[in-house]
Amino acid sequence: MIPNKAYTFRKFIISLELAVIVIAVLISIVSPRCGLLKTAIASNDSEDVVESNVREHQIAHPNLLPLRDHVVIQFNESLDILRESQKLRFGIFRDQDPRDVQWVEEKYDRVNFPRMEKPVGFLKLRYEVPVAGTFNGWWFKLENADWSEFQSHDLVLRLRLDQEGDANYTSVFKIELKTLSDGDIITHLAYVRIDKKHLKTNQEQGYFDVAIPMKAIARATSLVRMHEFVVVFENTRVTSKTGDLLVHSIRLRPPANDDHKNDVQVLLDSLARRAFLWFSENRNEKTGLVLDRSPNASYVRDRPAVCSMASVGYYLSILPGAIRTGQISREKAIEHSEQVMGFVLNNMQNRKGLLYHFVDVSTGKPLAGSEVSCLDSAIFFNGCMVVAEEFGGQTADLADSIVDRAEWSAFVVKHPRTKESLLSLGWDNKKGLLGPMDVRSSEMAMPYFLAVGSRTHPINPDLWYNTNVTKGRVGERDILNQNHSLFTSYYGLGWHRLKGLVDRDNVDLDANAREAALVNREFCQSVANKHKTYAKQYGGWWGISAGDSPNGYIAPGPIFGDANSTVWPMAALATVSWIPDVLEEDLDQWRKSEIWSFVSGPYGLAPFNLDKSWIGPDLIGIDLGSYYLNLENHRNGTIHRLWMRHPVAQNAIERLEYRAKTTP
């Protein structure tokens, strides 16, 4: 193994200086391949695992693709699976050669890369064109896809060459893009040259990218109906008459990210708009319910059917802000609010008025194993209260019917050790009432505030004061629940306006949110020499919270080794209400880092782990919703003003005896 070197993330964005000889030829033809005959040559889909004899790269990972790229095809499954499950059509062809002296084959190869648990899939094309005039290659049907939005994008091929020993490869090959126009097939050609920089990158990290501007290939041609993509090996062009070419993926990359040009305030607004877009695109039109999670990529068509009631509550809560920014009309927001609340009220199962955590987004039926959740019900009720105050009328009637039917008193349990009464986490079909919520935090405040403030089934305010108050020191700061994930410090404060207020135990949740954010940031900085994710040279990212990680869903705190170098940027951004100046400086560094283009997707910033070369594919509604709420409150106080105006909220603040904080 060649020893490590300290490469910057710039190796991700491989130099794409291609000597691309572009011939924009518009050829009206009636045959898809101008005289080429697709020959039925049996493909070999054997899953060979090839040991990669490449230099171990500190960050590079062949499966890491920028989230804003449109992936046309990625060979992450065997060729048979891609054909059968994804219904993709592709294959090999060769010219009409009566001498039969040339051949081509396709197979699926899996390549091992250092520090990767699983091999990486590649399409392996092996060709031979020994005689002048011979040619062959590989075709992929684009099925009349509309690429009009990609007119200014680059077509990017992620490739791998075998440079070891006597291996052969060509540094020149042809690509063809075929479009349909008035029944004719128009062929656009480009010759790609792989230069020394690509070869060096290939040797160092085992793969490289080549990019061709779509404007150079198709010029002014309409991309509304894309017919076919073709790779061609021509005897007169290839630099080796026989060889292999490994293809990892084909994608369309947008032009230089405008985020790098935007003012930080504009960028914060842009991220909020993306968050709302996620909710609007993941809302079921029939029920109004919203998905719990969804891929951070606009090109993904198949999305999960799992709705979390918390996501629905966040969607309702952000509607007033989206009206202000013009992302939805007031009429449409009212329609969406009444639709989903009417569906919940009349069609969904409940337990004493509280709702199941996860339900089918199309039917509202509880998913197997899902519990009735006091916390997630509270988030949904918070959203109902916001739209009740914003829209009034029938919207308020529906919202109040949902909020007032919650029998909170039926969810009181005894602590197994102290025997004090507390709210339960919820109810399970098999276990009955679940364990107590015994933490004084912004997160747990949500169900307690609603239960105490209830107009119909209130609980004694003392239950809130029975919760455990735990403080600990991290670095130079004392915070509540020091081992908990970041989101727990601000979760309920998206609705609860508690700035300058304390409860009767003198607990200041709002001030704690600021201290918890700074602790989280300072902790990441303190371990940056051990974890690349947090290192300054990669942007100085921070945000240790709950969510997806290379090891599945975890909920770490600012404890060494707990997060294993994973960061959740949207959780950090949600602290904007408490440390705006600090966060804006950090965001400016993040967007200037070369990691940005990989984690900035159409809906927000993905969780990632540089040490394990991992980027989370999904975004979760509660993370995006928290960011939107806190930014909107920071700028305009919208959600705070509406929620605090509701009678249940006013009851809660009064009954819990919140008072102005006095300076000692």
Side-chain angles (χ1 to χ4, degrees), residues 3-63:
N4 287 337
K5 288 188 178 180
Y7 298 103
T8 66
F9 200 80
R10 192 167 288 107
K11 288 296 184 180
F12 260 120
I13 318 297
I14 302 166
S15 172
L16 298 173
E17 298 175 0
L18 296 175
V20 181
I21 308 170
V22 180
I23 310 172
V25 181
L26 304 179
I27 308 172
S28 297
I29 54 177
V30 294
S31 166
R33 188 160 281 101
C34 277
L36 301 185
L37 174 66
K38 297 176 189 172
T39 305
I41 305 176
S43 65
N44 181 0
D45 274 12
S46 62
E47 299 184 359
D48 298 339
V49 178
V50 181
E51 288 291 337
S52 177
N53 189 26
V54 301
R55 184 177 306 171
E56 184 173 347
H57 195 278
Q58 290 201 8
I59 302 175
H61 186 317
N63 284 339

Side-chain angles (χ1 to χ4, degrees), residues 412 448 451-452 458-466 504 655-656:
V412 174
Y448 275 102
V452 169
I459 64 171
N460 192 312
D462 287 343
L463 269 68
W464 172 243
Y465 293 101
N466 290 340
R504 70 188 192 203
R655 293 170 185 173
L656 288 167

Side-chain angles (χ1 to χ4, degrees), residues 153-157 175 210-212 214 217 229 250-252:
H153 284 45
D154 291 340
L155 179 69
V156 181
L157 311 180
I175 63 169
V210 295
I212 307 108
M214 288 296 294
I217 302 174
F229 169 86
I250 303 169
R251 64 188 199 271
L252 293 159

Side-chain angles (χ1 to χ4, degrees), residues 144-184:
N144 297 330
D146 183 355
W147 282 12
S148 56
E149 64 180 295
F150 307 124
Q151 192 87 40
S152 61
H153 284 45
D154 291 340
L155 179 69
V156 181
L157 311 180
R158 179 155 288 182
L159 306 173
R160 171 180 167 82
L161 299 176
D162 186 355
Q163 295 176 261
E164 300 296 324
D166 298 329
N168 295 319
Y169 59 86
T170 179
S171 58
V172 179
F173 60 91
K174 181 171 73 174
I175 63 169
E176 298 177 355
L177 272 180
K178 298 178 182 291
T179 60
L180 291 173
S181 178
D182 297 327
D184 294 330

Side-chain angles (χ1 to χ4, degrees), residues 565-582:
S565 188
T566 303
V567 71
W568 292 266
M570 295 308 302
L573 288 173
T575 67
V576 65
S577 292
W578 296 276
I579 55 169
D581 293 342
V582 172

